[in-house]
Amino acid sequence: MSEEINIHDYNIKDVVKDMAKSLNVDFDETATECCFRLPEKVGSGYVRAFEFDFGLGVVETDYLLKEELRIALEKGVIHPLKIMFNRQSGFYHKFEDDKEFTEIKRLENSIASSTSKNNHVFRIPADIPICIFSIEINRKLFEEKIESFLNEMDEDLVTLFRDVNGINQFYYKSYYSLEISKFMEEFTQCELTGFMKHVYLEGKVYEILTHQLQQYLDDLKEPQKRTILRKATMESMEEAVAIIEEELDSIENVVDLAKRVGLNQNTLQQGFKQLYKTSVNEYIRNFRIEKAKELLETSTLNITEITYKVGINSRSYFSKLFKKRFGISPKQYLDQSRNKKEDNKSA
């Protein structure tokens, strides 16, 4: 069973007020913020709206529903440009005339602009944590903010922001970057109050918006020419590193490793070069030598056993790599380590 509510969003606070009214719960309001907590019969969590100058606002939701919720926006009006970031479980969006919903998955973001005849509809699932950060831009009011910069902006962005009357429908979706994730955390965890809080949050919104627009332009490039590292890619690379460390003696080739973490080979390689300043194979090779050094220092294994333990099948090749890295052979290093241990025991 699902419940449907209709809300206005021309004024950012109306999003909170209309939702609160539909759910029959009170809301709290200040000059720049509006918030309510979900009633227990509906679920748990909150919805907050922040209003800034020049038609810029933020709607932040963090809740768990007991029943699915459909949210339809007001018909026949110009809706704000919506830049939505999904920080938790997936939710669904469509334009009213569309037959099917599009899922916005965890760590994905979308930029969506409706027309006055084809408004937004959202479907929010029950029993899973929903955490959405949405920047809302009234482009008619925001035009004053960016008017003097339009001649310097990319043509695609000018077209998007110039559409102050919502004539053109627009939709874009991608995974958002590490920087955006960090800025959102700083926004939601702000402990300031009053004027300082308002100024701080407004600055964070502009940082997020700036990085999002840079990411949008980055996504227009060929995949191999993109330079911005996505948070989802980062998590996949961390998974790849964990696999390398856990399966060092049997790690497969880069293509298979990329498939296991849900990336293509080029994306994995680019991510490692950005994050670790090395290729995947170089990372594996360096980690093997570092692990071998550790085993020479701490284990009772001989050099041949250590060679196979770290996934190298040739003792001579292992010796070559080790000497290149540390300047001495594994045998010399092992003797030094054992002599040092003996000296420590004698002392």
Side-chain angles (χ1 to χ4, degrees):
M1 182 177 180
S2 65
E3 182 176 354
E4 180 168 332
I5 61 176
N6 296 279
I7 63 175
H8 305 76
D9 64 351
Y10 185 82
N11 184 314
I12 197 67
K13 291 183 182 179
D14 286 341
V15 174
V16 171
K17 293 177 182 179
D18 286 355
M19 288 187 70
K21 182 179 179 181
S22 297
L23 299 174
N24 195 28
V25 64
D26 294 332
F27 59 84
D28 297 317
E29 182 179 15
T30 67
T32 59
E33 297 180 29
C34 196
C35 177
F36 77 89
R37 299 198 70 85
L38 269 66
E40 187 177 347
K41 65 179 182 179
V42 174
S44 59
Y46 64 86
V47 179
R48 292 194 293 182
F50 303 84
E51 187 176 64
F52 305 104
D53 294 334
F54 299 104
L56 182 69
V58 166
V59 176
E60 181 197 348
T61 63
D62 190 346
Y63 51 60
L64 184 73
L65 298 172
K66 292 182 178 179
E67 294 183 356
E68 180 181 279
L69 181 65
R70 287 173 64 104
I71 302 173
L73 299 191
E74 182 185 12
K75 298 181 180 181
V77 300
I78 301 170
H79 296 290
L81 177 68
K82 298 182 181 297
I83 307 177
M84 299 172 285
F85 303 89
N86 183 7
R87 305 178 68 199
Q88 273 289 350
S89 308
F91 66 98
Y92 300 85
H93 167 272
K94 74 168 187 170
F95 298 106
E96 187 178 26
D97 292 343
D98 294 345
K99 293 182 179 180
E100 302 291 337
F101 282 91
T102 297
E103 182 180 7
I104 301 176
K105 300 176 182 178
R106 179 176 179 268
L107 304 182
E108 283 189 329
N109 78 284
S110 71
I111 302 176
S113 173
S114 66
T115 68
S116 60
K117 297 181 180 179
N118 193 14
N119 61 293
H120 302 279
V121 180
F122 297 93
R123 180 162 64 86
I124 313 298
D127 300 320
I128 56 176
I130 300 296
C131 189
I132 304 167
F133 187 96
S134 181
I135 297 176
E136 311 271 323
I137 302 175
N138 182 322
R139 286 172 286 182
K140 189 176 288 292
L141 299 177
F142 197 67
E143 188 175 32
E144 182 183 350
K145 178 76 172 179
I146 63 171
E147 180 65 35
S148 60
F149 301 102
L150 287 174
N151 62 342
E152 304 171 2
M153 291 175 67
D154 181 271
E155 184 177 348
D156 293 288
L157 295 180
V158 172
T159 301
L160 184 62
F161 282 101
R162 278 288 196 191
D163 188 17
V164 297
N165 294 313
I167 303 299
N168 302 308
Q169 183 173 298
F170 179 87
Y171 189 81
Y172 151 92
K173 187 176 75 162
S174 182
Y175 286 99
Y176 58 81
S177 70
L178 289 169
E179 288 82 3
I180 289 174
S181 177
K182 177 173 70 75
F183 293 142
M184 283 192 292
E185 287 181 9
E186 291 170 348
F187 183 102
T188 58
Q189 294 173 8
C190 174
E191 296 181 354
L192 298 171
T193 59
F195 173 73
M196 287 190 292
K197 176 182 178 181
H198 182 74
V199 172
Y200 178 85
L201 294 184
E202 186 173 31
K204 287 299 166 188
V205 175
Y206 276 109
E207 284 185 301
I208 294 169
L209 177 60
T210 300
H211 279 75
Q212 175 55 49
L213 297 180
Q214 289 176 331
Q215 178 181 306
Y216 170 68
L217 296 177
D218 195 52
D219 282 341
L220 296 179
K221 302 174 184 175
E222 295 295 325
Q224 65 272 17
K225 295 181 180 180
R226 294 172 188 167
T227 59
I228 297 176
L229 188 61
R230 306 300 190 262
K231 182 173 176 60
T233 303
M234 172 66 177
E235 292 190 351
S236 294
M237 288 194 299
E238 289 175 345
E239 184 182 351
V241 167
I243 291 173
I244 291 169
E245 293 180 358
E246 292 170 7
E247 304 175 17
L248 190 60
D249 61 337
S250 60
I251 188 67
E252 299 167 344
N253 58 49
V254 177
V255 175
D256 291 332
L257 179 62
K259 287 180 180 178
R260 288 179 64 181
V261 298
L263 299 175
N264 63 50
Q265 180 183 355
N266 289 337
T267 301
L268 186 66
Q269 291 283 17
Q270 290 170 7
F272 264 72
K273 286 180 180 178
Q274 287 187 44
L275 193 61
Y276 304 113
K277 310 304 180 187
T278 185
S279 69
V280 179
N281 282 329
E282 287 171 345
Y283 183 94
I284 294 172
R285 184 163 56 248
N286 291 338
F287 188 80
R288 280 176 168 153
I289 298 304
E290 289 292 341
K291 184 65 177 179
K293 176 175 174 285
E294 178 188 327
L295 292 172
L296 287 169
E297 293 171 348
T298 61
S299 76
T300 58
L301 299 174
N302 61 43
I303 294 175
T304 300
E305 290 171 328
I306 290 173
T307 299
Y308 287 103
K309 184 77 173 176
V310 298
I312 299 176
N313 297 323
S314 167
R315 177 167 168 167
S316 61
Y317 180 59
F318 167 65
S319 296
K320 178 182 178 181
L321 293 176
F322 193 93
K323 188 171 184 178
K324 182 178 180 181
R325 182 67 178 273
F326 298 111
I328 60 174
S329 70
K331 178 67 167 61
Q332 291 172 316
Y333 191 84
L334 181 61
D335 290 342
Q336 286 182 7
S337 297
R338 289 180 177 172
N339 289 336
K340 187 175 181 180
K341 287 179 182 178
E342 290 299 323
D343 291 342
N344 290 335
K345 285 180 182 179
S346 300

